[in-house]
Amino acid sequence: MPANLIKKDVITALAARAAGLDQPQGNPRLKQVAARLLTDLMVAIDELDVTMDEFWCGIAYLTQAGKQNEFGLIVPGVVLEHFLDLRLDEGERRAGLAGGTARTIEGPLYIAGAPISKGEARLDDGTDDGEVLFMEGQVRAVSGEPIAGAIVDVWHANTMGNYSHFDPTQASFNLRRRIETDEVGRYRFRSIMPSGYACPPGSQTEKLLQAMGRHGNRPAHVHFFVTAPGYRKLTTQINIDGDKYLHDDFAFGTRDELIPRVERITDAAEIHKAGLNKPFARIQFDFTVTKEAAGAPASIVAREHAEAA
Ligand code: BEZ
Ligand code: FE
């Protein structure tokens, strides 16, 4: 069939009716968004001459993705989660906010309610014989003032790239903790060096990426939410320098400002002082959070999360 069979104003009118724009009831914002998305979809079908087979293949794909609960994976994989971050960055810039630690995507693997402790924590349960990682730093305001009582909510994958809760072999809340900063705004934790996440083999996400000639790997990383009363919530990650996928993240999460130096400690005296018997890694990373500002887009996002059992 040739392309461009239907006039644009016919498509717009169809979308308006389908979205209920001619009805007084319903949710006006939803109707506005639905009309626009339907218009754009029908225009794309017409311009690209999407065949019936292609269309129904897409619907079957999405149906299966929904059944397998994969939209949280597909969204970052097709850059949309990063795009939302870029919009938030620009909204903040226009509201006059600057100087905070760069944000990056949350991803789909956060579980609320991790154990909380003051100043420091050990994240791993000792069952994974990975490289020991110590990470520490300070939470500060843009003015440089340390923030006591901030919450550093941290989560990361194990040496196989898997996350507790989603990986039934790991204990509940393994590699997930909330740390309240001490009186000078400091946090510190001991854990193991994570490996990068890979999309589940055979998943709908992997199938889509392969069809686009892409892979489904992320570089090793550690996630954070940093919150403190009166400050904007920071959602971010650090990436582990040297990872093969550092600048080739399928989820577009890497930012240059979020690649701290990884110090490898091999000195016997330092190893002994750390209470260990093998070399370990150390990362120092400070977080800077911005004050709430009138007109800035919300930094707290209402998003469904998997729940701890
Ligand atoms: C992750 O943070 O591990 C992740 C992010 C996006 C998609 C899949 C995983
Ligand atoms: Fe992750």
Side-chain angles (χ1 to χ4, degrees):
M1 263 196 289
N4 297 312
L5 295 175
I6 309 294
K7 287 203 170 69
K8 182 86 193 289
D9 55 354
V10 172
I11 290 178
T12 311
L14 279 173
R17 275 189 60 212
L21 291 188
D22 56 352
Q23 299 299 316
Q25 302 89 344
N27 176 329
R29 174 65 173 163
L30 179 134
K31 296 198 299 188
Q32 178 194 29
V33 173
R36 175 58 188 269
L37 293 180
L38 283 169
T39 301
D40 289 354
L41 179 60
M42 286 190 273
V43 167
I45 290 170
D46 200 34
E47 285 184 5
L48 298 172
D49 186 25
V50 172
T51 66
M52 291 274 194
D53 286 358
E54 288 169 340
F55 181 83
W56 290 110
C57 172
I59 296 297
Y61 174 85
L62 293 172
T63 304
Q64 194 57 29
K67 282 187 191 160
Q68 291 172 201
N69 194 20
E70 285 192 47
F71 283 111
L73 273 181
I74 293 172
V75 164
V78 296
V79 86
L80 289 173
E81 196 168 348
H82 175 62
F83 176 68
L84 296 176
D85 277 349
L86 295 181
R87 292 197 75 248
L88 204 45
D89 288 350
E90 183 59 20
E92 287 184 345
R93 197 187 65 74
R94 292 184 191 195
L97 289 171
T101 297
R103 69 162 47 78
T104 192
I105 63 164
E106 173 186 322
L109 302 167
Y110 176 72
I111 300 290
I116 189 160
S117 55
K118 181 94 186 171
E120 59 184 3
R122 180 165 175 181
L123 274 54
D124 67 301
D125 64 2
T127 58
D128 189 331
D129 192 29
E131 182 183 21
V132 173
L133 166 67
F134 286 100
M135 180 161 170
E136 63 181 357
Q138 195 178 35
V139 178
R140 289 195 295 262
V142 174
S143 61
E145 179 197 346
I147 305 177
I151 302 294
V152 177
D153 196 338
V154 48
W155 71 105
H156 68 79
N158 67 4
T159 55
M160 306 293 285
N162 296 327
Y163 286 79
S164 63
H165 182 90
F166 302 92
D167 168 10
T169 71
Q170 292 184 55
S172 166
F173 289 114
N174 190 37
L175 310 177
R176 300 176 187 271
R177 288 293 182 277
R178 285 176 293 163
I179 305 167
E180 185 182 338
T181 56
D182 67 13
E183 47 299 331
V184 286
R186 299 198 70 81
Y187 74 91
R188 181 172 195 269
F189 63 82
R190 172 181 167 168
S191 195
I192 48 162
M193 188 62 90
S195 292
Y197 173 91
C199 285
S203 60
Q204 290 296 92
T205 312
E206 193 193 50
K207 282 183 202 158
L208 177 64
L209 293 167
Q210 275 175 359
M212 296 191 294
R214 296 178 48 201
H215 64 74
N217 295 93
R218 300 208 66 205
H221 59 277
V222 180
H223 294 264
F224 301 93
F225 286 147
V226 183
T227 50
Y231 292 87
R232 291 172 63 76
K233 176 175 177 175
L234 171 66
T235 299
T236 196
Q237 304 174 20
I238 55 136
N239 285 118
I240 304 302
D241 201 3
D243 191 290
K244 173 177 173 202
Y245 294 105
L246 188 61
H247 296 291
D248 188 19
D249 177 4
F250 98 94
F252 303 90
T254 307
R255 293 191 129 171
D256 289 343
E257 313 87 299
L258 301 175
I259 309 172
R261 188 166 84 89
V262 181
E263 210 185 335
R264 249 74 200 204
I265 313 296
T266 53
D267 176 66
E270 283 231 51
I271 291 171
H272 181 73
K273 200 169 130 211
L276 299 174
N277 56 14
K278 59 178 186 180
F280 63 97
R282 193 155 58 197
I283 294 175
Q284 147 73 40
F285 193 81
D286 297 338
F287 298 100
T288 306
V289 288
T290 53
K291 284 235 158 83
E292 269 306 349
S299 62
I300 298 177
V301 178
R303 175 173 176 169
E304 262 188 17
H305 293 115
E307 302 262 336

